[in-house]
Amino acid sequence: MRNIGLCCPYCSTTPRAVKSRVLSTLMKEITYMCQNSECGYAFVARLEVARTLSLSSFVKPEIKVPLSQHINWSALQQMSLNLSPA
């Protein structure tokens, strides 16, 4: 597995992802092990979808992700006009 920018909080070495587990559509748990054999730290981190930057063209009403304050509001308004019943 690939590391996504985390460092060991104890020795600052890049840890290795050794296992992952899906918790929901928007969250995954990843088990990391420090690659510094003198440190030996292992930990679990969570990867979560935090906010929407660009809307998907697919509609899934059950998925609710907060909108970023940086989202293109004109695009959002246009999309809501396209989804409105005629």
Side-chain angles (χ1 to χ4, degrees), residues 31-74:
T31 302
Y32 287 96
M33 293 181 71
C34 181
Q35 294 188 81
N36 178 346
S37 59
E38 292 179 19
C39 176
Y41 186 60
F43 61 99
V44 174
R46 288 191 175 157
L47 176 62
E48 177 183 20
V49 176
R51 62 186 165 273
T52 298
L53 299 176
S54 174
L55 297 171
S56 172
S57 58
F58 298 109
V59 177
K60 280 190 158 182
E62 69 274 15
I63 295 179
K64 298 185 182 347
V65 179
L67 298 176
S68 169
Q69 64 183 8
H70 302 293
I71 195 165
N72 184 334
W73 288 105
S74 60

CSV table of all heavy atoms in Angstrom, one decimal, residues 31-74:
chain,number,residue,atom,x,y,z
A,31,THR,N,-4.1,0.8,8.8
A,31,THR,CA,-3.1,0.5,9.8
A,31,THR,C,-1.7,0.8,9.2
A,31,THR,O,-1.4,0.3,8.1
A,31,THR,CB,-3.2,-1.0,10.2
A,31,THR,OG1,-4.5,-1.2,10.7
A,31,THR,CG2,-2.2,-1.4,11.3
A,32,TYR,N,-0.9,1.5,10.0
A,32,TYR,CA,0.4,1.9,9.5
A,32,TYR,C,1.5,1.3,10.5
A,32,TYR,O,1.2,1.2,11.7
A,32,TYR,CB,0.6,3.4,9.5
A,32,TYR,CG,-0.1,4.1,8.4
A,32,TYR,CD1,-1.4,4.7,8.6
A,32,TYR,CD2,0.5,4.2,7.1
A,32,TYR,CE1,-2.0,5.3,7.5
A,32,TYR,CE2,-0.1,4.9,6.1
A,32,TYR,CZ,-1.4,5.4,6.3
A,32,TYR,OH,-2.0,6.1,5.3
A,33,MET,N,2.6,1.0,10.0
A,33,MET,CA,3.8,0.6,10.8
A,33,MET,C,5.0,1.5,10.4
A,33,MET,O,5.3,1.7,9.2
A,33,MET,CB,4.1,-0.9,10.6
A,33,MET,CG,3.1,-1.8,11.1
A,33,MET,SD,3.5,-3.5,10.8
A,33,MET,CE,4.8,-3.7,12.0
A,34,CYS,N,5.7,2.0,11.4
A,34,CYS,CA,6.8,2.8,11.2
A,34,CYS,C,7.9,1.9,10.6
A,34,CYS,O,8.1,0.8,11.0
A,34,CYS,CB,7.3,3.4,12.5
A,34,CYS,SG,8.8,4.5,12.3
A,35,GLN,N,8.6,2.5,9.6
A,35,GLN,CA,9.7,1.7,8.9
A,35,GLN,C,11.0,1.8,9.6
A,35,GLN,O,12.0,1.1,9.3
A,35,GLN,CB,9.8,2.1,7.5
A,35,GLN,CG,8.5,1.8,6.7
A,35,GLN,CD,8.7,2.0,5.2
A,35,GLN,OE1,9.3,1.2,4.5
A,35,GLN,NE2,8.2,3.2,4.7
A,36,ASN,N,11.1,2.6,10.7
A,36,ASN,CA,12.3,2.7,11.5
A,36,ASN,C,12.3,1.6,12.5
A,36,ASN,O,11.5,1.6,13.5
A,36,ASN,CB,12.3,4.1,12.2
A,36,ASN,CG,13.5,4.3,13.1
A,36,ASN,OD1,14.2,3.4,13.4
A,36,ASN,ND2,13.7,5.5,13.5
A,37,SER,N,13.1,0.6,12.4
A,37,SER,CA,13.1,-0.6,13.2
A,37,SER,C,13.4,-0.2,14.7
A,37,SER,O,13.0,-0.9,15.6
A,37,SER,CB,14.1,-1.7,12.7
A,37,SER,OG,15.4,-1.1,12.7
A,38,GLU,N,14.1,0.9,14.9
A,38,GLU,CA,14.4,1.3,16.3
A,38,GLU,C,13.2,1.9,17.0
A,38,GLU,O,13.0,1.9,18.2
A,38,GLU,CB,15.6,2.3,16.3
A,38,GLU,CG,16.9,1.6,15.9
A,38,GLU,CD,18.0,2.6,15.9
A,38,GLU,OE1,17.9,3.7,16.6
A,38,GLU,OE2,19.0,2.3,15.3
A,39,CYS,N,12.3,2.4,16.2
A,39,CYS,CA,11.0,3.1,16.7
A,39,CYS,C,10.0,2.0,16.9
A,39,CYS,O,9.5,1.8,18.0
A,39,CYS,CB,10.5,4.1,15.8
A,39,CYS,SG,9.0,4.9,16.2
A,40,GLY,N,9.6,1.3,15.9
A,40,GLY,CA,8.6,0.2,16.0
A,40,GLY,C,7.1,0.6,16.2
A,40,GLY,O,6.3,-0.2,16.5
A,41,TYR,N,6.8,1.9,16.1
A,41,TYR,CA,5.4,2.4,16.3
A,41,TYR,C,4.5,1.9,15.3
A,41,TYR,O,4.8,1.9,14.1
A,41,TYR,CB,5.4,3.9,16.4
A,41,TYR,CG,4.1,4.5,16.8
A,41,TYR,CD1,3.6,4.2,18.0
A,41,TYR,CD2,3.4,5.4,16.0
A,41,TYR,CE1,2.4,4.8,18.4
A,41,TYR,CE2,2.2,5.9,16.4
A,41,TYR,CZ,1.7,5.6,17.6
A,41,TYR,OH,0.5,6.2,18.0
A,42,ALA,N,3.3,1.5,15.7
A,42,ALA,CA,2.2,1.1,14.8
A,42,ALA,C,1.0,1.8,15.2
A,42,ALA,O,0.7,2.0,16.4
A,42,ALA,CB,2.0,-0.4,14.8
A,43,PHE,N,0.2,2.2,14.2
A,43,PHE,CA,-1.0,3.0,14.6
A,43,PHE,C,-2.1,2.9,13.5
A,43,PHE,O,-1.8,2.4,12.4
A,43,PHE,CB,-0.7,4.5,14.8
A,43,PHE,CG,-0.1,5.2,13.6
A,43,PHE,CD1,-0.8,6.0,12.7
A,43,PHE,CD2,1.3,5.0,13.3
A,43,PHE,CE1,-0.3,6.6,11.6
A,43,PHE,CE2,1.9,5.7,12.2
A,43,PHE,CZ,1.1,6.5,11.4
A,44,VAL,N,-3.3,3.3,13.8
A,44,VAL,CA,-4.4,3.3,12.9
A,44,VAL,C,-4.8,4.8,12.6
A,44,VAL,O,-4.9,5.6,13.6
A,44,VAL,CB,-5.6,2.5,13.5
A,44,VAL,CG1,-6.8,2.7,12.6
A,44,VAL,CG2,-5.3,1.1,13.7
A,45,ALA,N,-5.0,5.1,11.4
A,45,ALA,CA,-5.4,6.4,11.0
A,45,ALA,C,-6.7,6.2,10.2
A,45,ALA,O,-7.0,5.2,9.7
A,45,ALA,CB,-4.4,7.1,10.1
A,46,ARG,N,-7.5,7.3,10.1
A,46,ARG,CA,-8.7,7.3,9.3
A,46,ARG,C,-8.6,8.2,8.1
A,46,ARG,O,-8.2,9.4,8.3
A,46,ARG,CB,-9.9,7.7,10.2
A,46,ARG,CG,-10.2,6.6,11.2
A,46,ARG,CD,-11.5,6.8,11.8
A,46,ARG,NE,-11.8,5.7,12.7
A,46,ARG,CZ,-12.6,5.7,13.7
A,46,ARG,NH1,-13.2,6.8,14.0
A,46,ARG,NH2,-12.9,4.6,14.4
A,47,LEU,N,-9.1,7.8,7.0
A,47,LEU,CA,-9.1,8.6,5.8
A,47,LEU,C,-10.6,8.8,5.5
A,47,LEU,O,-11.4,7.9,5.4
A,47,LEU,CB,-8.5,7.8,4.6
A,47,LEU,CG,-8.6,8.5,3.2
A,47,LEU,CD1,-7.8,9.8,3.2
A,47,LEU,CD2,-8.0,7.5,2.2
A,48,GLU,N,-11.0,10.1,5.5
A,48,GLU,CA,-12.4,10.5,5.4
A,48,GLU,C,-12.6,11.5,4.3
A,48,GLU,O,-11.8,12.4,4.1
A,48,GLU,CB,-12.8,11.1,6.7
A,48,GLU,CG,-14.2,11.5,6.7
A,48,GLU,CD,-14.6,12.2,8.1
A,48,GLU,OE1,-13.8,12.6,8.8
A,48,GLU,OE2,-15.8,12.3,8.3
A,49,VAL,N,-13.7,11.4,3.6
A,49,VAL,CA,-14.1,12.4,2.6
A,49,VAL,C,-14.6,13.6,3.5
A,49,VAL,O,-15.6,13.4,4.2
A,49,VAL,CB,-15.2,11.9,1.6
A,49,VAL,CG1,-15.7,13.0,0.8
A,49,VAL,CG2,-14.6,10.7,0.8
A,50,ALA,N,-14.0,14.7,3.4
A,50,ALA,CA,-14.3,15.8,4.3
A,50,ALA,C,-15.3,16.9,3.8
A,50,ALA,O,-16.1,17.4,4.5
A,50,ALA,CB,-13.0,16.5,4.8
A,51,ARG,N,-15.1,17.2,2.5
A,51,ARG,CA,-15.9,18.3,1.9
A,51,ARG,C,-15.9,18.2,0.4
A,51,ARG,O,-14.9,17.6,-0.2
A,51,ARG,CB,-15.6,19.7,2.4
A,51,ARG,CG,-14.2,20.1,2.0
A,51,ARG,CD,-13.9,21.4,2.7
A,51,ARG,NE,-12.4,21.7,2.6
A,51,ARG,CZ,-11.6,21.3,3.5
A,51,ARG,NH1,-12.0,20.6,4.6
A,51,ARG,NH2,-10.3,21.6,3.4
A,52,THR,N,-16.9,18.7,-0.2
A,52,THR,CA,-17.0,18.7,-1.7
A,52,THR,C,-16.4,19.9,-2.3
A,52,THR,O,-16.7,21.0,-1.9
A,52,THR,CB,-18.5,18.6,-2.1
A,52,THR,OG1,-19.1,17.5,-1.5
A,52,THR,CG2,-18.7,18.7,-3.6
A,53,LEU,N,-15.5,19.7,-3.3
A,53,LEU,CA,-14.9,20.8,-4.0
A,53,LEU,C,-15.5,21.0,-5.4
A,53,LEU,O,-15.6,22.1,-5.9
A,53,LEU,CB,-13.4,20.5,-4.2
A,53,LEU,CG,-12.6,20.4,-2.9
A,53,LEU,CD1,-11.1,20.1,-3.3
A,53,LEU,CD2,-12.7,21.7,-2.2
A,54,SER,N,-16.0,19.9,-6.0
A,54,SER,CA,-16.6,19.9,-7.3
A,54,SER,C,-17.7,18.8,-7.3
A,54,SER,O,-17.5,17.7,-6.9
A,54,SER,CB,-15.6,19.6,-8.4
A,54,SER,OG,-16.2,19.4,-9.6
A,55,LEU,N,-18.9,19.2,-7.7
A,55,LEU,CA,-20.1,18.2,-7.6
A,55,LEU,C,-19.9,17.1,-8.7
A,55,LEU,O,-19.4,17.4,-9.8
A,55,LEU,CB,-21.4,19.0,-7.9
A,55,LEU,CG,-21.7,20.0,-6.8
A,55,LEU,CD1,-22.9,20.8,-7.3
A,55,LEU,CD2,-22.0,19.4,-5.5
A,56,SER,N,-20.4,16.0,-8.3
A,56,SER,CA,-20.4,14.8,-9.2
A,56,SER,C,-21.6,14.9,-10.2
A,56,SER,O,-22.6,15.5,-9.8
A,56,SER,CB,-20.5,13.5,-8.4
A,56,SER,OG,-20.7,12.4,-9.3
A,57,SER,N,-21.4,14.4,-11.4
A,57,SER,CA,-22.6,14.4,-12.3
A,57,SER,C,-23.5,13.2,-12.0
A,57,SER,O,-24.6,13.1,-12.5
A,57,SER,CB,-22.1,14.3,-13.7
A,57,SER,OG,-21.3,13.2,-13.9
A,58,PHE,N,-23.1,12.3,-11.1
A,58,PHE,CA,-23.9,11.2,-10.6
A,58,PHE,C,-24.7,11.7,-9.4
A,58,PHE,O,-24.1,12.3,-8.5
A,58,PHE,CB,-23.1,10.0,-10.3
A,58,PHE,CG,-22.4,9.4,-11.5
A,58,PHE,CD1,-21.0,9.5,-11.6
A,58,PHE,CD2,-23.1,8.8,-12.5
A,58,PHE,CE1,-20.3,9.0,-12.7
A,58,PHE,CE2,-22.4,8.3,-13.6
A,58,PHE,CZ,-21.0,8.4,-13.7
A,59,VAL,N,-26.0,11.3,-9.3
A,59,VAL,CA,-26.8,11.7,-8.1
A,59,VAL,C,-26.9,10.5,-7.2
A,59,VAL,O,-27.4,9.4,-7.6
A,59,VAL,CB,-28.2,12.2,-8.6
A,59,VAL,CG1,-29.0,12.5,-7.4
A,59,VAL,CG2,-28.0,13.4,-9.5
A,60,LYS,N,-26.6,10.6,-5.9
A,60,LYS,CA,-26.8,9.6,-4.9
A,60,LYS,C,-27.3,10.3,-3.7
A,60,LYS,O,-26.5,10.8,-2.9
A,60,LYS,CB,-25.5,8.8,-4.6
A,60,LYS,CG,-25.1,7.7,-5.6
A,60,LYS,CD,-24.0,6.9,-5.0
A,60,LYS,CE,-24.0,5.6,-5.6
A,60,LYS,NZ,-22.9,4.8,-5.1
A,61,PRO,N,-28.6,10.5,-3.5
A,61,PRO,CA,-29.1,11.3,-2.4
A,61,PRO,C,-28.6,10.8,-1.0
A,61,PRO,O,-28.6,11.6,-0.1
A,61,PRO,CB,-30.6,11.1,-2.5
A,61,PRO,CG,-30.9,10.6,-3.9
A,61,PRO,CD,-29.6,9.9,-4.3
A,62,GLU,N,-28.3,9.5,-0.9
A,62,GLU,CA,-27.8,9.0,0.4
A,62,GLU,C,-26.4,9.5,0.8
A,62,GLU,O,-26.0,9.4,2.0
A,62,GLU,CB,-27.9,7.5,0.5
A,62,GLU,CG,-26.9,6.8,-0.4
A,62,GLU,CD,-27.3,6.5,-1.9
A,62,GLU,OE1,-28.3,7.2,-2.3
A,62,GLU,OE2,-26.7,5.7,-2.5
A,63,ILE,N,-25.7,10.0,-0.1
A,63,ILE,CA,-24.3,10.5,0.2
A,63,ILE,C,-24.4,12.0,0.5
A,63,ILE,O,-24.8,12.8,-0.4
A,63,ILE,CB,-23.4,10.2,-1.0
A,63,ILE,CG1,-23.2,8.7,-1.1
A,63,ILE,CG2,-22.0,10.9,-0.7
A,63,ILE,CD1,-22.3,8.3,-2.3
A,64,LYS,N,-24.1,12.4,1.7
A,64,LYS,CA,-24.1,13.8,2.1
A,64,LYS,C,-22.8,14.2,2.6
A,64,LYS,O,-22.3,13.9,3.7
A,64,LYS,CB,-25.2,13.9,3.2
A,64,LYS,CG,-26.6,13.5,2.8
A,64,LYS,CD,-27.6,13.8,3.8
A,64,LYS,CE,-29.0,13.4,3.5
A,64,LYS,NZ,-29.3,13.0,2.2
A,65,VAL,N,-22.1,15.0,1.7
A,65,VAL,CA,-20.8,15.5,2.0
A,65,VAL,C,-20.9,17.1,2.1
A,65,VAL,O,-21.4,17.7,1.1
A,65,VAL,CB,-19.7,15.1,1.0
A,65,VAL,CG1,-18.4,15.7,1.3
A,65,VAL,CG2,-19.7,13.6,0.9
A,66,PRO,N,-20.4,17.7,3.1
A,66,PRO,CA,-20.5,19.2,3.2
A,66,PRO,C,-19.8,19.8,2.0
A,66,PRO,O,-18.8,19.3,1.5
A,66,PRO,CB,-19.8,19.5,4.5
A,66,PRO,CG,-19.7,18.3,5.3
A,66,PRO,CD,-19.8,17.1,4.3
A,67,LEU,N,-20.4,21.0,1.6
A,67,LEU,CA,-19.8,21.7,0.5
A,67,LEU,C,-18.7,22.6,1.0
A,67,LEU,O,-18.8,23.2,2.1
A,67,LEU,CB,-20.9,22.6,-0.2
A,67,LEU,CG,-22.0,21.9,-0.8
A,67,LEU,CD1,-23.0,22.9,-1.4
A,67,LEU,CD2,-21.6,21.0,-1.9
A,68,SER,N,-17.6,22.7,0.3
A,68,SER,CA,-16.5,23.6,0.7
A,68,SER,C,-16.9,25.0,0.4
A,68,SER,O,-17.7,25.3,-0.5
A,68,SER,CB,-15.3,23.3,-0.2
A,68,SER,OG,-14.3,24.3,-0.1
A,69,GLN,N,-16.4,25.9,1.2
A,69,GLN,CA,-16.7,27.3,1.0
A,69,GLN,C,-16.1,27.8,-0.3
A,69,GLN,O,-16.5,28.9,-0.8
A,69,GLN,CB,-16.3,28.2,2.1
A,69,GLN,CG,-14.8,28.2,2.3
A,69,GLN,CD,-14.4,29.1,3.5
A,69,GLN,OE1,-15.2,29.5,4.3
A,69,GLN,NE2,-13.1,29.3,3.7
A,70,HIS,N,-15.2,27.0,-0.9
A,70,HIS,CA,-14.5,27.4,-2.2
A,70,HIS,C,-15.2,26.8,-3.4
A,70,HIS,O,-14.7,27.0,-4.5
A,70,HIS,CB,-13.1,27.0,-2.1
A,70,HIS,CG,-12.3,27.5,-1.0
A,70,HIS,ND1,-12.1,28.9,-0.8
A,70,HIS,CD2,-11.8,27.0,0.2
A,70,HIS,CE1,-11.4,29.1,0.3
A,70,HIS,NE2,-11.3,28.0,0.9
A,71,ILE,N,-16.3,26.1,-3.2
A,71,ILE,CA,-17.0,25.5,-4.4
A,71,ILE,C,-17.5,26.6,-5.3
A,71,ILE,O,-17.7,27.7,-4.9
A,71,ILE,CB,-18.1,24.6,-3.9
A,71,ILE,CG1,-18.6,23.7,-5.0
A,71,ILE,CG2,-19.3,25.4,-3.4
A,71,ILE,CD1,-19.5,22.6,-4.6
A,72,ASN,N,-17.5,26.3,-6.6
A,72,ASN,CA,-17.9,27.2,-7.6
A,72,ASN,C,-19.5,27.4,-7.5
A,72,ASN,O,-20.2,26.6,-8.0
A,72,ASN,CB,-17.5,26.7,-9.0
A,72,ASN,CG,-17.9,27.7,-10.0
A,72,ASN,OD1,-18.8,28.5,-9.9
A,72,ASN,ND2,-17.1,27.6,-11.1
A,73,TRP,N,-19.9,28.4,-6.8
A,73,TRP,CA,-21.4,28.6,-6.5
A,73,TRP,C,-22.2,28.8,-7.8
A,73,TRP,O,-23.3,28.4,-7.8
A,73,TRP,CB,-21.6,29.8,-5.5
A,73,TRP,CG,-21.1,29.4,-4.2
A,73,TRP,CD1,-20.0,29.8,-3.6
A,73,TRP,CD2,-21.7,28.4,-3.3
A,73,TRP,NE1,-19.8,29.1,-2.3
A,73,TRP,CE2,-20.9,28.3,-2.2
A,73,TRP,CE3,-22.9,27.7,-3.4
A,73,TRP,CZ2,-21.2,27.5,-1.1
A,73,TRP,CZ3,-23.2,26.9,-2.3
A,73,TRP,CH2,-22.4,26.8,-1.2
A,74,SER,N,-21.6,29.4,-8.8
A,74,SER,CA,-22.4,29.6,-10.1
A,74,SER,C,-22.7,28.2,-10.7
A,74,SER,O,-23.8,28.0,-11.2
A,74,SER,CB,-21.6,30.5,-11.0
A,74,SER,OG,-20.4,29.9,-11.4
